[in-house]
Amino acid sequence: QVQLVESGGGSVQAGGSLRLSCAASGITYCMAWFRQAPGKEREGVAGIRGDGRTTYADSVKGRFTVSRDNAKNILYLQMNNLKPEDTAMYYCASHVRFSCDIEPSRIYDYWGQGTQVTVSS
């Protein structure tokens, strides 16, 4: 069983930055960030395999960076140049299989409780 705990959300103005963290207990290989805004479907944001290979949604490429500290089993999401449309609940997720696609979300076995990110214009 893997437990995931997110932190680092908050409220910022457009153009600002935030860094999210996700502390994992247990064995993980693929770790990823998802987000869900009110009234919208959950969408994949970024994923990273245990070997460091990353995947990003087109909407965040060039603005967000996913990374992980394997020794500490922590996942990060550095978010720069935030936009109001980035406002959502952000979730950390993981599984132990090789592929680290960020869609569909149902392939992920473990989920955190989420951390809210609000970007004002």
Side-chain angles (χ1 to χ4, degrees):
Q1 189 74 14
V2 175
Q3 292 186 328
L4 303 171
V5 179
E6 303 97 334
S7 61
S11 298
V12 296
Q13 292 190 328
S17 298
L18 283 174
R19 189 176 82 154
L20 306 183
S21 299
C22 172
S25 63
I27 299 173
T28 61
Y29 185 72
C30 172
M31 299 186 76
W33 290 99
F34 291 81
R35 66 186 181 186
Q36 188 166 20
K40 294 188 176 181
E41 295 289 321
R42 183 165 52 190
E43 63 173 343
V45 175
I48 183 167
R49 294 188 333 197
D51 61 3
R53 182 169 181 171
T54 57
T55 303
Y56 293 95
D58 288 343
S59 59
V60 306
K61 283 181 181 177
R63 300 188 298 122
F64 291 11
T65 302
V66 63
S67 62
R68 63 192 292 171
D69 183 329
N70 288 332
K72 297 180 179 179
N73 221 8
I74 299 177
L75 175 71
Y76 300 101
L77 185 68
Q78 178 66 43
M79 305 185 293
N80 297 328
N81 191 21
L82 282 160
K83 303 176 180 180
E85 52 263 43
D86 295 318
T87 295
M89 185 71 78
Y90 283 70
Y91 298 92
C92 171
S94 73
H95 63 69
V96 296
R97 293 174 294 280
F98 184 76
S99 173
C100 207
D101 294 334
I102 52 176
E103 296 292 346
S105 61
R106 65 177 180 272
I107 67 175
Y108 286 79
D109 300 310
Y110 304 104
W111 292 83
Q113 293 299 306
T115 186
Q116 178 68 38
V117 172
T118 302
V119 185
S120 58
S121 57

